[in-house]
Amino acid sequence: MPFITIDNLNKINFELTDYCNAACPMCTRHEWNGDLKKNVNTNHTTLDFIREKIGIKVIGQLNHILSCGTYGDAIMNPECFDIYKFFRENNKEAKIELFTNGGARDINFWKDLAKLNIQVTFSIDGLEDTNHLYRRKVKWNKLIENIKSFIKNGGVAVWEFLIFKHNEHQIEQAREFSKNLGFKKFIPKHTGRWKDYSDSGEYRDVNKIKVDDYYIEKPKSQQTPDVIQNIRPLRYYKDKEKNYKKIICKSYHKTISEIYVRANGKVSPCCWLGDIEVHEAKRLIEDYNSVDLNYTTLEKILTGSFFYKLEQGIYNYNQKEQLQTCNSCCGIK
């Protein structure tokens, strides 16, 4: 069956950078022992790269553009504003989104960004006395100053609130605060990263993680009303994968045809596959230059061996090409 092509492509998730101003302990930027990974803080996507490797024609045909990276926060890219301006100038109708901790840049950046008619989802996990426990290095006063500048100048803002033991008592207070600030939506959600696999495939199932001289702990309840049980599906974990026979790929489903472009130029269908040089997708790749926009055109990448094998694994569940990530995140019984 058809898969993602240069003609049906209508959504791109641009990582834009693998730099970040924060130090969130459960982020994929870190090893399980808390050390920063060696392959971060090395790449920014440039505006010239997007012009040359993606092109105005493709940008113009998209109905959704977003930045929700594996390793970085897009606002750390020196050309972030210019890139988003380029997106909007060449596509007046697309939904454009940025996901960020909101703690970097100044009020003028956020003022200008608001005028581009984009939606910004701010990841804020608590209030003044708790947000920094997970969003380490994010300064509260700076964050609120940036938010106010963005909203005051017409920006559409969403607040996503990851729930932990240390902040679960603040959900309703944060919801009210979000309304007062002018957020359009408040989304409390759980993280699935208490149960996870390391880059080497080691499985982890924990209730708390040590950070400096304190612990980040699971919330007491996983059933808070209206909470999205998200980040990663609960069925993702250990020994359950064999129960899923069919995959409905969220990157190519109904009206969606999506790719994910890493800050280093590597292309995959989605950020769930993460770093394809590290995670399990690497077993399907014979030549990394063949999935890298620095060496291969987007059209050739999409018609190449990697995307072909992914397609076979997705639509032929008993094939050796099937990835556990595809099975786990997009598999159904």
Side-chain angles (χ1 to χ4, degrees):
M1 64 183 297
F3 197 45
I4 303 162
T5 70
I6 197 74
D7 294 319
N8 67 28
L9 181 64
N10 59 26
K11 179 179 179 181
I12 299 182
N13 182 353
F14 289 97
E15 184 178 40
L16 292 192
T17 184
D18 53 30
Y19 286 77
C20 188
N21 58 300
C24 307
M26 296 167 77
C27 176
T28 54
R29 289 172 57 83
H30 297 95
E31 305 287 359
W32 281 358
N33 65 4
D35 291 344
L36 196 66
K37 291 181 178 177
K38 295 179 181 179
N39 58 341
V40 300
N41 297 345
T42 55
N43 299 285
H44 293 305
T45 301
T46 67
L47 177 55
D48 283 344
F49 177 90
I50 293 174
R51 282 197 184 107
E52 295 170 9
K53 306 300 183 180
I54 304 296
I56 291 175
K57 179 180 182 298
V58 171
I59 294 299
Q61 75 188 39
L62 302 177
N63 57 36
H64 194 178
I65 302 169
L66 70 153
S67 295
C68 182
T70 298
Y71 291 132
D73 191 310
I75 63 174
M76 294 298 290
N77 185 320
E79 294 186 288
C80 180
F81 174 77
D82 294 328
I83 289 170
Y84 272 85
K85 183 180 179 183
F86 173 78
F87 290 156
R88 183 52 77 203
E89 287 176 343
N90 290 284
N91 194 322
K92 304 297 185 184
E93 304 300 326
K95 179 179 182 180
I96 303 180
E97 289 184 276
L98 168 66
F99 292 74
T100 177
N101 63 64
R105 299 301 192 117
D106 61 22
I107 58 174
N108 291 322
F109 169 86
W110 292 101
K111 175 183 177 180
D112 292 340
L113 197 66
K115 296 176 181 178
L116 297 181
N117 185 27
I118 72 170
Q119 176 177 298
V120 174
T121 295
F122 292 90
S123 297
I124 312 170
D125 308 324
L127 297 172
E128 184 172 6
D129 61 332
T130 55
N131 183 58
H132 65 283
L133 295 176
Y134 185 73
R135 300 286 162 183
R136 293 187 299 163
K137 299 186 180 182
V138 175
K139 305 300 183 184
W140 183 259
N141 290 340
K142 178 70 171 174
L143 168 63
I144 299 303
E145 182 180 66
N146 290 343
I147 290 169
K148 287 181 177 179
S149 177
F150 181 71
I151 294 176
K152 177 183 177 181
N153 288 283
V156 176
V158 174
W159 180 331
E160 282 195 351
F161 183 114
L162 282 183
I163 305 171
F164 302 99
K165 182 179 179 181
H166 64 261
N167 66 13
E168 61 184 331
H169 64 289
Q170 296 179 322
I171 294 174
E172 293 310 316
Q173 186 180 353
R175 191 195 307 275
E176 288 304 308
F177 186 44
S178 75
K179 293 176 182 177
N180 293 337
L181 287 172
F183 278 89
K184 298 299 183 183
K185 198 171 185 180
F186 178 83
I187 305 173
K189 61 197 300 185
H190 291 297
T191 175
R193 288 181 176 165
W194 302 106
K195 301 180 180 182
D196 207 348
Y197 291 93
S198 70
D199 291 343
S200 62
E202 180 187 359
Y203 177 71
R204 175 178 71 177
D205 185 351
V206 297
N207 293 315
K208 62 182 181 180
I209 293 175
K210 191 175 188 335
V211 183
D212 299 327
D213 59 349
Y214 60 95
Y215 285 92
I216 297 291
E217 298 182 70
K218 265 187 180 181
K220 295 178 181 178
S221 173
Q222 293 281 313
Q223 303 300 324
T224 309
D226 89 345
V227 168
I228 294 178
Q229 300 285 344
N230 205 0
I231 295 294
R232 190 159 298 165
L234 300 181
R235 63 175 178 266
Y236 184 58
Y237 308 109
K238 203 172 184 180
D239 299 330
K240 292 189 178 182
E241 287 82 359
K242 62 186 179 183
N243 296 323
Y244 295 87
K245 304 292 187 180
K246 182 179 180 181
I247 293 172
I248 297 179
C249 176
K250 294 183 178 67
S251 290
Y252 185 73
H253 178 56
K254 295 183 178 179
T255 61
I256 298 173
S257 184
E258 174 185 5
I259 60 170
Y260 172 56
V261 180
R262 280 279 314 284
N264 62 7
K266 302 294 191 298
V267 178
S268 64
C270 70
C271 62
W272 286 113
L273 296 182
D275 185 345
I276 56 177
E277 294 178 287
V278 173
H279 295 169
E280 61 167 341
K282 64 184 180 182
R283 67 181 175 84
L284 302 183
I285 301 173
E286 300 168 5
D287 175 11
Y288 278 106
N289 286 352
S290 70
V291 294
D292 190 330
L293 285 168
N294 291 291
Y295 302 95
T296 306
T297 67
L298 179 57
E299 185 169 11
K300 287 186 177 180
I301 290 174
L302 297 180
T303 57
S305 172
F306 179 48
F307 273 74
Y308 175 77
K309 290 178 180 178
L310 285 170
E311 181 183 4
Q312 293 302 301
I314 289 168
Y315 298 114
N316 299 283
Y317 70 88
N318 61 342
Q319 299 294 313
K320 63 181 180 180
E321 288 86 359
Q322 187 176 102
L323 298 179
Q324 176 181 293
T325 303
C326 296
N327 203 341
S328 302
C329 294
C330 297
I332 62 173
K333 289 182 178 180

